[in-house]
Amino acid sequence: MSKKKAQGTNLLYQLISEARAYDDVIVMGRGDPDFDTPAHIVAAAKDAMVNHHSDYTPPEGLLALREAIAERVKRVNDIDVDPATEVVVTNGGQEALFLMVLAVLSPGDEMIVPEPNYNTYADSLAFAGGVKVEVQTYAEDDFRADPADVRAAISDKSRALLLVSPNNPAASVIAPRDMKEMLDIAIENDLMILADDIYDLFVYDDFEHLSPASLPGGLERTLTLNALSKAYSMTGWRLGWVVGPADLMARVRELKAAISGGASVISQHAGIAALTGPQDAVEMMAEAYRRRRRLVLDALDAMGMKYGLPQGGQFVFADISFTGMDSGDVAQRILTEQHVLAYPGSAFSKDRKDYLRMTFLQPEAQLIEGMERMKVAMRDIMAER
Amino acid sequence: MAAKTKADILARHQANMALKAPAPPPVSRHARDLSADGMISPLDERIIAAAADALEAGQTHYVDVPGIAPLRAALADYLNAAFGAHCETENIIVTAGVQESRFLSIQMIGAMYDSIGIPAVAHPGVQKALGVRARRVFPLAADAERGYLPAPTAIADAVKRGCRLLYLESPARLSGAAYTDEDLAIISAALREHDALAIWDQGLAPWVDGKYSSLAAFEERPSLAATIGEAWPGMGLASWFIGYIAAPADQTPAMQSQKQIMAICTSTAAQHAALEAANLFEEARGQKLAQLSRLRRDISDAAEALNLEAIAGDALNIMALHAPEEAAARLRGAGFDYADGAPFGAPAVIRLSVNTSTMNALAALR
């Protein structure tokens, strides 16, 4: 009996599982930074284990952490929130994403989603019974979401607009002018905005990140998520947040209480240290990602592969249409034959079977080796055509 | 402003009473807080060392969605040894606490069934989990004489009448009352006969002194019950939020997939701490049971002297009382918090944590 082909998130996890079997695997798939969590954050966690291990934490998180988050979103994103009522701490950005979707969308409601997009939004929307209305973006435009296309996608069932900037997997950043127009569209059509700022500290060249909640009229209709996973290399700590207007955040809080209660008090104390402590490790990592991005793009250029310029994020979305194969099959071959894990575009969007997402979250030597192996895989695939 | 869209969202939210059901905190919020589900316990330095070592060794990254393999294996071993279950590692999902266990099991197993039988008296977290996405509920009447557990015959009748999925607590989260072997013989026979399944919350089972009967012991492999609970309670990890689901093999994929969607994985520090707690649990539990037994006896005597009727329960860490509003008001007036029975479905009942402050609370009623 033939095995059913995995799709979407399940496909990614199938590849992750297979990758573990190879001792020499080079992981350019999962968005998990190779750096360990900075030492002062680990030290704060150890201190919390001794001094705060049984502290009560409400579902919305420790006030000290919410204050640190409010200060951070003001400093970095120019979003004004009250830590008492407008911040909810979550089990990572993933739970924040799930909560935002559940908070806003009900069965039959439509959410406008620039595609490609992070696959979990579709999964969460499906749980909520909502409907995804796709707005396509294209590599030749560096995956820019065109506000005119968003406007054209609106129906009487539209309730929300998803704005992930920098985008995952396409790595495009919504330009300030476009972001303002997106907000205007939301206001004119009474849409809520779900803003995903998780890669906001990783923006390259002269591109600029702008949070819709920082704009006049933005905060009251926007839920914004972020997390410590990417910026502080804290993926295993499961700590993120949602900020937004107090009335909606009361709903986010209740949903958080219903889904998982609170977040680990140890992770929360680590989070306080991350946000209030020295930030030089974040700078160091950002600089490393800048170098690695250049390295991967140079390798792709040398191979003659096309891609949308990664304006932000920690990955590049590369065009493999020249292979004539489905990205799931290409990813499988690269993994099986060359022991390089890259994510197939089809896992992010059914219309992106011609793309691979490659992260640059490995040391440079590994990335060089990974791209060499990729070149061999592509050569072998093309030789068979 | 976001006029109609937001107003509609907020109106739906206001109408969703289940989602807003007030639930007890996982641990006490202050010295006179007797409402908590879990207990504040010292954290063994070996647990701190294990978690700290893991973090310093770089265990700060994503791990497998259902949990790190050694912890899943340790949970399977624990459930098999302590409750007579027949779990393999593959049956185990590590969760970010018992509320996530409730949510995942109720929503994801629930999605495979037409309805779910819910006891009329249960932890408010059950209502909250149902409030996120409504499911058709088959109410199971609570039997006040049995500590508000639904009678086994009522459960069997519900299964016979078509309710193929049940949510059951044993010990009951309000009273601590637990089902006996005789009860479980009736319940398991009904489940088996009708190919039905129970989500079985046994989180308070470690605090039963003496024989505890788990539904998981009434099957040769996980097939009748998806058991849930806190991972090694009383070990100082209540605020770390770590729990488990042990489910039949055909039920785990949907829950794992949903766990990935809503959390990716559980905190690595919590998992490594729990793994060490597994090694220390039995000894610590024995000491706690002895302490709880003494405290509960004294508290029971004090309640009786106050003409407060204690509700029979098997779990030693809580005591439920029939309490007139006047008594409850006096407790509140003296600064004590208690778990109100109303959100559980049992008005005029209060639940007190059993600890050294509980006697002071009852003294305030004299």
Side-chain angles (χ1 to χ4, degrees):
Chain A
M1 197 168 73
S2 68
K3 196 173 155 188
K4 193 180 170 191
K5 213 168 180 177
Q7 293 181 320
T9 307
N10 290 334
L11 172 58
L12 300 183
Y13 276 84
Q14 184 176 297
L15 292 168
I16 291 170
S17 176
E18 184 179 335
R20 288 209 188 93
Y22 305 123
D23 291 339
D24 62 343
V25 72
I26 295 176
V27 176
M28 297 177 67
R30 204 170 199 180
D32 191 354
D34 57 314
F35 298 105
D36 288 335
T37 303
H40 73 279
I41 299 173
V42 173
K46 287 167 61 180
D47 179 70
M49 290 176 201
V50 175
N51 296 310
H52 302 288
H53 71 271
S54 282
D55 285 2
Y56 165 72
T57 172
E60 64 270 29
L62 297 170
L63 181 58
L65 177 56
R66 286 181 279 135
E67 287 170 342
I69 291 166
E71 189 281 326
R72 189 272 188 200
V73 298
K74 176 63 183 169
R75 173 170 43 84
V76 176
N77 308 107
D78 199 24
I79 301 174
D80 274 307
V81 288
D82 180 347
T85 57
E86 297 182 322
V87 180
V88 168
V89 175
T90 62
N91 288 331
Q94 196 90 339
E95 189 180 56
L97 180 169
F98 188 58
L99 290 170
M100 289 204 311
V101 171
L102 283 180
V104 169
L105 281 302
S106 290
D109 289 349
E110 291 180 356
M111 178 162 77
I112 298 169
V113 179
E115 287 284 305
N117 223 307
Y118 184 44
N119 43 303
T120 302
Y121 279 102
D123 298 330
S124 297
L125 195 57
F127 185 94
V131 178
K132 183 170 77 161
V133 176
E134 298 183 355
V135 171
Q136 295 301 328
T137 65
Y138 304 96
E140 51 267 38
D141 301 326
D142 290 330
F143 298 104
R144 170 181 177 254
D146 189 334
D149 293 339
V150 169
R151 199 182 289 277
I154 291 170
S155 79
D156 59 358
K157 292 182 179 170
S158 302
R159 295 290 178 271
L161 170 60
L162 175 65
L163 297 174
V164 181
S165 178
N167 173 280
N168 180 6
S172 54
V173 173
I174 300 174
R177 190 179 60 186
D178 283 347
M179 188 62 88
K180 287 170 187 162
E181 195 170 345
M182 295 290 191
L183 177 60
D184 289 343
I185 292 169
I187 292 171
E188 288 163 21
N189 295 278
D190 195 17
L191 304 181
M192 306 306 299
I193 294 176
L194 305 188
D196 182 337
D197 281 0
I198 197 163
Y199 292 105
D200 61 359
L201 294 181
F202 305 103
V203 175
Y204 306 109
D205 304 331
D206 295 325
F207 297 100
E208 188 183 340
H209 175 266
L210 181 66
S211 297
S214 69
L215 296 168
L219 180 61
E220 66 199 43
R221 65 177 62 248
T222 304
L223 294 177
T224 305
L225 78 75
N226 212 317
L228 300 179
S229 300
K230 313 297 181 184
Y232 296 89
S233 204
M234 292 178 68
T235 51
W237 299 75
R238 312 313 305 132
L239 205 64
W241 64 79
V242 182
V243 299
D247 47 10
L248 269 183
M249 290 307 295
R251 175 165 168 74
V252 173
R253 180 198 180 281
E254 293 297 355
L255 285 165
K256 167 69 177 152
I259 288 166
S260 60
S264 161
V265 75
I266 304 303
S267 291
Q268 292 194 61
H269 280 280
I272 293 167
L275 291 172
T276 63
Q279 302 296 304
D280 45 329
V282 180
E283 280 302 312
M284 178 276 292
M285 287 189 267
E287 180 53 36
Y289 299 142
R290 273 191 283 274
R291 286 196 309 273
R292 295 171 180 185
R293 167 180 172 268
R294 190 67 262 160
L295 185 158
V296 170
L297 296 185
D298 288 347
L300 290 173
D301 289 341
M303 291 161 65
M305 285 177 69
K306 296 178 186 166
Y307 51 84
L309 182 70
Q311 301 166 347
Q314 298 172 332
F315 30 77
V316 56
F317 207 46
D319 185 342
I320 53 157
S321 58
F322 63 90
T323 65
M325 290 172 63
D326 182 285
S327 60
D329 296 330
V330 173
Q332 185 66 62
R333 277 198 64 168
I334 295 170
L335 179 58
T336 305
E337 296 175 9
Q338 294 297 326
H339 300 180
V340 175
L341 175 62
Y343 276 178
S346 58
F348 296 94
S349 167
K350 64 183 186 319
D351 296 321
R352 305 297 167 157
K353 292 175 181 168
D354 294 342
Y355 287 88
L356 283 182
R357 191 192 80 168
M358 302 170 210
T359 57
F360 33 87
L361 297 171
Q362 295 295 319
E364 289 175 41
Q366 289 262 302
L367 288 176
I368 291 168
E369 171 67 16
M371 294 310 290
E372 276 299 315
R373 292 191 202 174
M374 189 85 71
K375 193 162 123 187
V376 173
M378 293 300 174
R379 189 193 61 205
D380 291 350
I381 288 170
M382 294 309 290
E384 292 171 11
R385 283 178 56 81
Chain B
M1 58 176 289
K4 187 168 183 313
T5 300
K6 194 199 260 188
D8 287 349
I9 293 167
L10 297 176
R12 276 198 302 270
H13 180 66
Q14 287 308 318
N16 189 342
M17 300 312 292
L19 185 63
K20 293 187 294 182
V27 293
S28 301
R29 294 161 292 190
H30 52 83
R32 293 188 168 200
D33 185 0
L34 303 174
S35 70
D37 281 334
M39 61 182 78
I40 289 181
S41 306
L43 189 61
D44 191 292
E45 59 188 24
R46 288 166 288 184
I47 295 176
I48 295 174
D53 288 351
L55 292 175
E56 287 181 340
Q59 295 295 323
T60 57
H61 298 270
Y62 291 130
V63 292
D64 288 346
V65 175
I68 58 173
L71 179 58
R72 294 171 74 200
L75 278 162
D77 289 347
Y78 164 64
L79 296 174
N80 295 345
F83 303 121
H86 302 86
C87 291
E88 305 284 344
T89 300
E90 291 68 28
N91 298 114
I92 306 292
I93 300 173
V94 177
T95 64
V98 73
Q99 185 59 27
E100 189 177 275
S101 300
R102 282 190 192 104
F103 177 79
L104 283 171
S105 57
I106 287 172
Q107 286 292 343
M108 302 318 292
I109 299 177
M112 301 177 198
Y113 291 83
D114 289 339
S115 64
I116 179 167
I118 300 286
V121 175
H123 192 281
V126 177
Q127 288 304 318
K128 294 180 87 67
L130 286 164
V132 175
R133 187 173 67 171
R135 309 239 63 87
R136 197 157 72 86
V137 169
F138 195 112
L140 302 172
D143 184 347
E145 298 301 312
R146 300 186 58 114
Y148 294 97
L149 290 170
T153 48
I155 293 168
D157 186 53
V159 174
K160 193 175 166 187
R161 286 164 56 203
C163 181
R164 297 290 187 261
L165 177 66
L166 307 160
Y167 186 95
L168 300 171
E169 296 173 347
S170 180
R173 290 278 179 173
L174 176 65
S175 68
Y179 287 113
T180 64
D181 272 349
E182 292 71 30
D183 297 333
L184 293 186
I186 296 168
I187 294 169
S188 62
L191 294 173
R192 206 172 283 116
E193 183 182 350
H194 296 280
D195 195 21
L197 183 80
I199 299 166
W200 182 261
D201 179 353
Q202 57 185 22
L204 296 186
W207 310 124
V208 174
D209 194 9
K211 180 169 171 52
Y212 169 75
S213 300
S214 170
L215 187 57
F218 282 72
E219 52 190 6
E220 291 177 359
R221 60 181 169 77
S223 57
L224 300 178
T227 57
I228 68 171
E230 294 87 345
W232 298 295
M235 298 301 291
L237 298 175
S239 296
W240 298 46
F241 293 94
I242 187 132
Y244 67 85
I245 302 171
D250 58 344
Q251 307 288 351
T252 54
M255 289 188 284
Q256 279 193 36
S257 182
Q258 183 60 28
K259 167 81 179 171
Q260 193 283 327
I261 289 166
M262 58 188 236
I264 298 184
C265 60
T266 300
S267 151
T268 54
Q271 293 198 58
H272 284 278
L275 186 56
E276 183 62 23
N279 299 324
L280 309 172
F281 180 66
E282 272 313 314
E283 184 185 344
R285 174 176 170 268
Q287 292 168 359
K288 276 189 195 308
L289 277 175
Q291 184 187 23
L292 287 170
S293 182
R294 285 192 302 274
L295 279 167
R296 202 173 192 280
R297 197 165 45 243
D298 292 346
I299 292 163
S300 183
D301 291 346
E304 191 177 340
L306 290 163
N307 291 321
L308 291 172
E309 184 188 348
I311 297 167
D314 301 284
L316 300 181
N317 64 318
I318 54 172
M319 176 173 285
L321 302 164
H322 291 289
E325 172 51 28
E326 189 244 334
R330 285 176 66 188
L331 273 180
R332 290 194 301 272
F336 289 98
D337 286 328
Y338 52 83
D340 184 359
F344 286 78
V349 171
I350 63 171
R351 187 192 76 180
L352 301 175
S353 306
V354 171
N355 61 42
T356 49
S357 293
T358 319
M359 284 299 284
N360 297 334
L362 293 179
L365 295 178
R366 280 192 207 117

